[in-house]
Amino acid sequence: MMTEGPEPACTGVAAAATLAAQHLERDAEGSLDAALALASTLHTPGQRERYRRLLERAIEQADRALAAAEQERAALQGHEFAVERERILATRMGARSTLARAHAARAEDALHGAGQLSLSAQRAPTREACDDGWRRVEAIVSGADASAGAAAISATELEAGSPRSSVARAARAAAHRAEVAARAARRIIEERNHAYTFHTDNGFSFGEGWYLAAAAVLAGAAIQVEPGKIGTPQAEAFLRDAGLSDQLQAYRSRPRAMKQTTELVARAFKAEPSSAQRRLRAAFLGDAPIPESVTGWVDRRLAEAPAGTSSRKKVLLWIREGLHHPHRNTTLAELLELTDLVQRTGLVPVLTGDAFRGGQVPEGAVDMTLFWKDATFRQLDMRRAQLQFFEHLKRTHGLVGQLGVTTAGMDGPALMGLPTMYLTDETNVRMREWVGAVPGYQEVVREGGYLERVRRVLSEWAAAS
C-alpha cells in the first residue's frame, strides 16, 4: 500500500502568502469604497482630508497586495502553482482594478486641490507668497500626472490579461478620467496669469491705478486693463503715455493680487529713492508744460477762495466717502478738527476728494472737492490731468503736503513727491510698505496723542522753505 509523501515545505508559506495578498486586496477595495462613499460630502469640514487618507490607504494596500501575490507566485512550484493560479490572478486583478480607480480619484482630487490653491496663491499679498503657493500647486499637479500614469499602467496590465472583461473596461475608463484630470491640472499652471489688473470699473478705487502703473515703471510689472468699461480708454491712454505699451497684455482671468504692487514700489524706492521718484514723475507727468485747461481751472477756483489764501502755503485735506470699508470713511468731527489744526499752524486747508457733507465749508478753507468730476478732468488724458492738478498746486500755489484717512487717491501725489500723512485706526499692512521708503510718506495711527504728532508735522511743513 502506497503512502502519501510529505507535503512540500513551501505549501504552508504559499498558503500564508495567499491569505496575506487576499487580505490586503480586500482591505484596499474596502478603503476605496469607503472613500468613494464620501464623494457627495467632500464640501463639509474634514471630509476631504478623510477622503484623501482613504485613497492613500487604498493605493498603499493594493500595491502591497500585488507585491504579496508576486511573492506567492514565486514561491509556488509546478502543481502548486496550477492549484493556486486562479486565486493569484483574481487577487492581482482586484488590486490592479483598485489601483486604477483609486489613482483616477486621486488625480481628480488633485485637480480640485490645484484649482483651489492656485486661487489663494494668486491672491497672496506678496510676490514671494504667491510664488511659493504656485510651487505647491506644481507639486500637486505632478501628483496628478503620477496618478494618471499609474492608472494607465494598471489598465494596460488588466487589458493584457483579460481584454474583454468588465474589470478591464472599468479600469480603462478610470485611466481616461485620470488623464483628463491631470491635463486640466497642468493647464492651470500653463494658464497662470502674471499680470496685474488695471481696474476701470467705478466700483474699484481710482487711485489703485497710480501704484499699479508705478509698479510697472519701477519693477517691470505686466498690466492688463479691465476691458469694456467707461474708463478703459483713459486707462490705456495713461499707460501708453507713461511708456508702458510693452507691458500691456490682453486681459485674462486669474491675475495677480493688487496687494503685491505696493511692495514692488517700496522695493524700488528703498533701493534708489531719488531715482525712483524721477522715473515716476517723468512717466506720469511727461515733459510737456501743464496745459492751460488744468492751470486755468485751478487758478480760477483759488481766485474765488477767501481773501488772503491764494499766496499762503496750503495742505490738502482728503475726504473719503466710499462703500468699500465704510468704517474707514472720513468723519465730520475729525475733519473739522484737522481743518482747525491746519489753520492754527498757519496753513490753508484745501478740501479735496469726495463731497463735504458738513453743510457750509469751514471758514478759511478752500473747497476743491469733486474736482475730478469736472469735464476738464474727464477727458482721454484724465489720469495725467488729475496728477497735473496736484502738481500745479504744488509748483504755483504753495501746496506743501496732504493729510487724510487712508485713501488711494492720495497715492498718486505721494509718489510724485508731495509729503503725505494718512490716518488709520491700526497700522495698514499694505501701505506701511511705503513708510520709510517713499520720501515724506507717513502713517499716523489714531492712538493717544496722535493729533499732537499731526500738529508737529504740519508745523514742519509750514516752516519748510
Side-chain angles (χ1 to χ4, degrees), residues 146-159:
S147 277
I153 290 171
S154 290
T156 299
E157 290 176 342
L158 283 169
E159 288 176 326

Side-chain angles (χ1 to χ4, degrees), residues 178-330:
E179 181 182 8
V180 169
R183 286 180 179 175
R186 181 62 56 186
R187 281 197 299 273
I188 291 174
I189 295 176
E190 293 170 350
E191 295 173 358
R192 179 184 174 186
N193 187 353
H194 291 271
Y196 300 92
T197 302
F198 198 117
H199 291 291
T200 52
D201 188 304
N202 288 336
F204 290 88
S205 170
F206 181 93
E208 282 194 345
W210 306 138
Y211 43 81
L212 174 51
V217 171
L218 300 176
I223 299 179
Q224 59 178 22
V225 180
E226 191 177 25
K229 305 295 183 181
I230 191 169
T232 299
Q234 291 89 339
E236 290 179 342
F238 173 66
L239 294 170
R240 296 188 192 283
D241 287 345
L244 297 172
S245 297
D246 291 344
Q247 285 153 254
L248 289 175
Q249 67 176 40
Y251 185 86
R252 296 192 295 122
S253 61
R254 295 186 180 234
R256 282 181 176 269
M258 285 290 292
K259 290 180 179 180
Q260 299 171 21
T261 58
T262 52
E263 181 192 21
L264 294 178
V265 173
R267 287 183 185 180
F269 270 95
K270 288 174 182 176
E272 296 181 286
S274 297
S275 172
Q277 200 156 78
R278 283 197 302 271
R279 291 166 63 191
L280 288 183
R281 288 180 60 83
F284 287 4
L285 294 171
D287 54 9
I290 298 176
E292 195 282 330
S293 58
V294 173
T295 60
W297 191 94
V298 174
D299 295 346
R300 287 191 296 275
R301 291 296 292 268
L302 285 175
E304 300 168 0
T309 61
S310 179
S311 60
R312 292 165 54 198
K313 292 181 179 179
K314 301 173 180 62
V315 169
L316 294 177
L317 280 182
W318 281 85
I319 300 173
R320 182 188 192 274
E321 188 71 28
L323 297 177
H324 180 64
H325 290 170
H327 62 279
R328 286 171 35 205
N329 286 343
T330 303

Side-chain angles (χ1 to χ4, degrees), residues 303-369:
E304 300 168 0
T309 61
S310 179
S311 60
R312 292 165 54 198
K313 292 181 179 179
K314 301 173 180 62
V315 169
L316 294 177
L317 280 182
W318 281 85
I319 300 173
R320 182 188 192 274
E321 188 71 28
L323 297 177
H324 180 64
H325 290 170
H327 62 279
R328 286 171 35 205
N329 286 343
T330 303
T331 66
L332 178 60
E334 185 176 66
L335 179 64
L336 294 177
E337 198 166 22
L338 293 174
T339 301
D340 180 64
L341 195 56
V342 168
Q343 291 176 322
R344 284 192 283 115
T345 53
L347 300 167
V348 176
V350 178
L351 304 185
T352 192
D354 293 319
F356 177 68
R357 304 293 186 187
Q360 187 174 354
V361 172
E363 185 177 352
V366 179
D367 184 8
M368 288 195 176
T369 58

Side-chain angles (χ1 to χ4, degrees), residues 8 42 91 98 166 168 298 301 336 340 385 421:
L42 295 181
T91 298
T98 295
S166 60
V298 174
R301 291 296 292 268
L336 294 177
D340 180 64
M421 281 190 287

